[in-house]
Amino acid sequence: MRVAIGVEYDGNAFEGWQIQPHGRTVQNAVEHALAQIAQVPVKLVCAGRTDTGVHASMQVAHFDTVAKRPLEAWVRGVNSHLPASVCVLWAVEVDDDFHARFSAESRRYRYVLLNRRIRPGLLGGRVGWTHGPLDEEAMRSAAACLVGEHDFTSFRAAECQAKSPVRFMHSVEVRRQGDIVLFDFHANAFLHHMIRNLVGSLVFVGKGRKPAEWMAELLAVRNRTLAAPTFAPDGLYLCGVEYPARWPLPGGGRIIGAPQLLLP
């Protein structure tokens, strides 16, 4: 049968999602734990691969298995074989036509940025950080041009393997909660480093180094070298994946789990 699972993890403990020979990835850890329950090797497919240091409060993956186990075994049983930095949140049986990556209609990411004079201590490794005041209204104005279908070449990593740089951005939100600035992105899919590059350029605008109109200019010029440097991975969270409602997934397929941090 095919089983879909929801996974959360602290990206600081791993070198990204994708399986590597050295074994220090989320996929390595979860596949090993699943194999302990299935008693045979298990291959995972995820909704979106994350880089080293990037977190997930709601990653979705699926696997096929001939092992007949109660669904709770794929949650509590698997978690008993996982390190503290990663856990399975839920498991459901799905039809064979479900695919964690290709069936997804959209994905959501949140970047959590600490904006204060002193670097993070308690939230170290879990938030980005910048000192100096930020103009949230200017950043919101700059982000408005990102909504819709665009060529995001200016915000794409050189090593990005996507066939096309065109993505459809459903929404971008920028808001402050005390010393925390939240950047929420909702798109059909994202390019390699796309969000970290977008946040870096939005912070340039927020600090007054560039005007809000600069973001639209970057989109038009399609040149990565003209945008701001890539921002740190610490504050980036995959926090939602959305699917058609025909599968018995949590939330009717609208699977969203914002990171639960010590925010005001």
Side-chain angles (χ1 to χ4, degrees):
M1 65 178 181
R2 178 161 293 185
V3 178
I5 58 174
V7 185
E8 69 174 19
Y9 49 87
D10 176 359
N12 292 302
F14 303 99
E15 295 182 23
W17 167 273
Q18 190 172 11
I19 197 164
Q20 298 290 340
H22 56 59
R24 296 185 298 274
T25 72
V26 182
Q27 186 177 0
N28 283 113
V30 180
E31 285 187 358
H32 174 76
L34 287 167
Q36 303 309 301
I37 302 302
Q39 291 299 295
V40 291
V42 173
K43 179 69 173 178
L44 271 176
V45 176
C46 73
R49 293 177 297 187
T50 53
D51 294 331
T52 300
V54 176
H55 319 289
S57 55
M58 187 55 69
Q59 170 73 275
V60 178
H62 80 259
F63 63 93
D64 295 327
T65 181
V66 295
K68 297 186 182 298
R69 305 285 187 269
L71 290 174
E72 189 67 6
W74 302 121
V75 181
R76 295 175 64 87
V78 170
N79 286 341
S80 69
H81 295 280
L82 284 171
S85 50
V86 56
C87 75
V88 176
L89 300 169
W90 49 263
V92 296
E93 186 174 352
V94 291
D95 295 335
D96 290 346
D97 61 344
F98 173 83
H99 193 284
R101 178 184 175 190
F102 297 127
S103 298
E105 294 182 325
S106 66
R107 295 154 179 84
R108 294 174 184 262
Y109 279 85
R110 169 173 287 181
Y111 197 96
V112 184
L113 178 65
L114 179 65
N115 178 214
R116 72 181 187 195
R117 188 171 61 87
I118 306 301
R119 65 166 177 81
L122 186 61
L123 294 177
R126 290 180 169 82
V127 297
W129 173 60
T130 188
H131 57 80
L134 288 176
D135 184 339
E136 295 93 61
E137 188 56 43
M139 292 190 293
R140 278 192 289 270
S141 178
C145 72
L146 302 174
V147 177
E149 187 174 78
H150 300 287
D151 182 324
F152 285 94
T153 294
S154 291
F155 306 100
R156 176 185 192 178
E159 61 270 28
C160 180
Q161 298 178 354
K163 294 180 179 179
S164 170
V166 176
R167 295 292 184 266
F168 189 92
M169 187 78 75
H170 294 284
S171 65
V172 182
E173 296 183 9
V174 182
R175 56 195 171 94
R176 178 180 286 273
Q177 295 183 8
D179 289 336
I180 296 290
V181 179
L182 301 175
F183 299 83
D184 287 308
F185 299 89
H186 178 204
N188 65 332
F190 292 89
L191 303 168
H192 192 197
H193 287 176
M194 176 174 161
I195 299 172
R196 290 166 58 191
N197 292 334
L198 286 170
V199 170
S201 292
L202 288 171
V203 168
F204 264 35
V205 171
K207 289 187 172 184
R209 299 179 62 177
K210 295 289 184 179
E213 297 77 15
W214 181 58
M215 292 296 289
E217 294 172 4
L218 289 175
L219 276 177
V221 75
R222 302 177 186 178
N223 187 332
R224 172 71 192 102
T225 65
L226 300 179
T230 305
F231 223 69
D234 305 49
L236 184 55
Y237 294 79
L238 171 59
C239 60
V241 190
E242 298 180 60
Y243 297 93
R246 69 176 182 269
W247 293 291
L249 298 166
R254 191 170 181 266
I255 310 169
I256 302 171
Q260 299 299 307
L261 301 176
L262 298 175
L263 303 180

